[in-house]
Amino acid sequence: MSSFFEEYEGYPNYEKMATHDEAHGKVIRKKLWMVFWIMLIVTLIELFIGYKYSESLGEINKEYLFIFLTIAKAFFIVFVFMHLGDEKKALKYVIIAPYTLFIFYLAFMAITEGAYTWHIKDAISTVLMHQ
Amino acid sequence: MSNQATAVPLRKDWDGGVSPFGVSYGKLFMWFFLVSDALTFSSLLCAYGFMRHKFTGEWAHPNEVFHHFPFVTREMPLAYVGFMTFDLIMSSVTMVLAVEAGHRKNRKQVMMWLFFTIIGGFIFVGSQCWEWYHFITGPELSATYHGVYRDYIMNGQHIINPHFTGANLVVNSYTMLPTFGDFFFCITGFHGFHVFSGVIINIIMLIMVANGVMDNRGHYEMIEKAGLYWHFVDLVWVFVFTFFYLL
C-alpha cells in the first residue's frame, strides 16, 4: 500500500511522523499514569457503590450514576489511551459522531420497547388465553 | 529533487495529496474496523437491555450470582470481577506505554511493556475461564454437586433433579429465564474471544519487535495499531462490567 502513495510527490509519511523525544515522552508518561489513577479510583467508587449501596440507592439513580461513570471511563480510554484527543478534528468527528448518534438512538429504542413489552405483558397473555 | 519537494507549501486538508485525517492508511482503517466492531458489541448490549427491561424484576441479581473468589469460601460479591477490571486497565496502561516507547524507537522498552501486556491478557482470559466454570457449575459446588442436568431420562422415567445448580444455554438455577445465561455466555464469550485474539496479536507484535522488523521499517506504527485494538477490548469490558455486574 505504501508504494502506491509514494508515487505522489510530497505525500507525507504519516507512519514516520509520529515520534517524540525523551523529554516529551516523560510528560506523556506522567499524563498516562495520571489517567490510570483516575480510572482506578472511578472503578473503586463503582465497586463500592455496587457493594454497599445497591439497595439503598434508588434503582433509577443507580443506573444513571453507573452509566455516567462508565461513559467517563470510556472517554478517558478513547481520548487518552487511544490518542483520539491528539488527532485532527476531522478524524475525531468521523469516528465519534455517527457512532454516538446511532447507538443512543438504538439504546433508546431497545429500552423503551423493552419497558413497554413489560407493561403490556399481562394484556398480551389475557388476549392469548381468550383466543 | 527532494529539496524541491520540501519547498512546496503544505496543501490544505481536502485539496488532495495529503490525508485529510492526518493519519496513515492503516491507522485510519483500524479505527473504522473498531467502529464497526463497537457497533456489533453495542447491538448485543442493546438487545441485553431490551431483555432486561422486558423481564423487570425477574432478572437475577448479579451480587447473588457472581460472588466467588479464589481460595475464599465466604461470599465476596464483585471482588473477583473488580480484580479482572483492574487487570485489564493495568494491561491497557502497559500497552499505551509500549506505544509511547515505540514513538521514541526504544526497542527494549517496547518489548518489556508488550510482555507485561501479554501477561495481563493471559490473566484476564484465565480469570474469565474461572468465572465461567463457577457460573456453569453453580454456587453450591463444594457442598453438594449433583450434576449439571436439571432433568434427564433414566430407566424410561423422566426425572427432574431438584438439586440442579448452575447454568447452561437451556436452563439456569439463578432465574427462571434462560436468556440470562444465554446473554452472559454470548456477550462475555464474544468479549473473551476478542481478548484472546488481542493476546495472540500482541505475541506476534512481540516476536516482530524482537526480530527487528519495526527497526528495519523505521517506525513502530504496528504497535500503535495493535494498541488501538487492545484498548478497544478494554473499552468493551468497561461496558460489559457495568451492565452485567453492577446494574
Side-chain angles (χ1 to χ4, degrees), chain B residues 122-144:
Chain B
F122 270 127
I123 292 173
F124 185 85
V125 174
S127 303
Q128 210 162 34
C129 288
W130 191 85
E131 188 94 351
W132 270 46
Y133 173 75
H134 278 265
F135 186 73
I136 291 168
T137 52
E140 289 143 42
L141 177 68
S142 52
T144 50

Side-chain angles (χ1 to χ4, degrees), chain A residues 1 5 8-29 32-33 35-37 39-40 43 46-52 54-55 59 62-64 66-67 69-71 73-75 77-84 87-92 94-96 98-99 102-103 105-119 121, chain B residues 1 4-5 10-11 13-14 17-28 31-32 34-35 38-39 42-43 46-47 49-58 61 63 74-79 81-83 85-86 89-90 92-94 96-97 99-106 109 113 217-221 224-225 227-229 231-232 234-235 238-239 241-243 246-247:
Chain A
M1 218 50 231
F5 285 119
Y8 291 95
E9 207 170 296
Y11 188 84
N13 194 335
Y14 292 105
E15 286 99 337
K16 289 182 180 167
M17 275 157 72
T19 52
H20 57 246
D21 55 7
E22 204 67 46
H24 193 204
K26 223 170 207 173
V27 179
I28 293 172
R29 280 201 297 274
L32 293 177
W33 281 110
V35 170
F36 165 71
W37 287 114
M39 286 187 51
L40 189 62
T43 307
E46 278 183 338
L47 284 172
F48 185 73
I49 294 168
Y51 184 62
K52 277 268 175 200
S54 59
E55 259 87 65
E59 193 64 34
K62 202 181 82 179
E63 275 183 26
Y64 280 123
F66 280 142
I67 288 168
L69 289 175
T70 304
I71 289 174
K73 276 206 285 188
F75 172 83
I77 292 174
V78 173
F79 278 79
V80 181
F81 286 173
M82 293 167 98
H83 301 294
L84 194 62
E87 305 288 3
K88 276 191 167 185
K89 242 183 194 171
L91 183 60
K92 269 187 222 175
V94 98
I95 298 298
I96 295 293
Y99 178 79
F102 179 70
I103 286 309
Y105 184 47
L106 183 65
F108 166 74
M109 283 199 298
I111 286 168
T112 313
E113 275 304 301
Y116 179 70
T117 317
W118 180 68
H119 277 295
K121 196 171 51 176
Chain B
M1 191 66 193
Q4 273 178 343
L10 215 65
R11 282 181 261 195
D13 281 357
W14 298 93
V18 294
S19 164
F21 301 112
V23 292
S24 70
Y25 174 86
K27 204 168 135 185
L28 181 64
W31 270 109
F32 285 165
L34 291 182
V35 169
L39 287 171
S42 316
S43 45
C46 281
F50 176 85
M51 279 303 180
R52 256 197 104 150
H53 280 83
K54 187 179 170 185
F55 295 110
T56 307
E58 296 169 52
H61 201 277
N63 278 9
R74 78 187 183 89
E75 294 180 1
M76 291 175 76
L78 291 176
V81 79
F83 164 75
T85 309
F86 168 75
I89 291 175
M90 196 68 217
S92 213
V93 173
T94 55
V96 81
L97 286 170
V99 173
E100 194 270 334
H103 286 167
R104 287 184 280 115
K105 296 198 175 68
N106 191 330
Q109 280 193 20
W113 290 121
R217 277 184 198 165
H219 60 82
Y220 278 70
E221 215 209 14
E224 210 173 329
K225 283 181 258 183
L228 281 178
Y229 183 75
H231 296 312
F232 170 73
D234 183 23
L235 180 68
V238 163
F239 282 90
F241 168 65
T242 302
F243 293 129
L246 291 176
L247 289 181

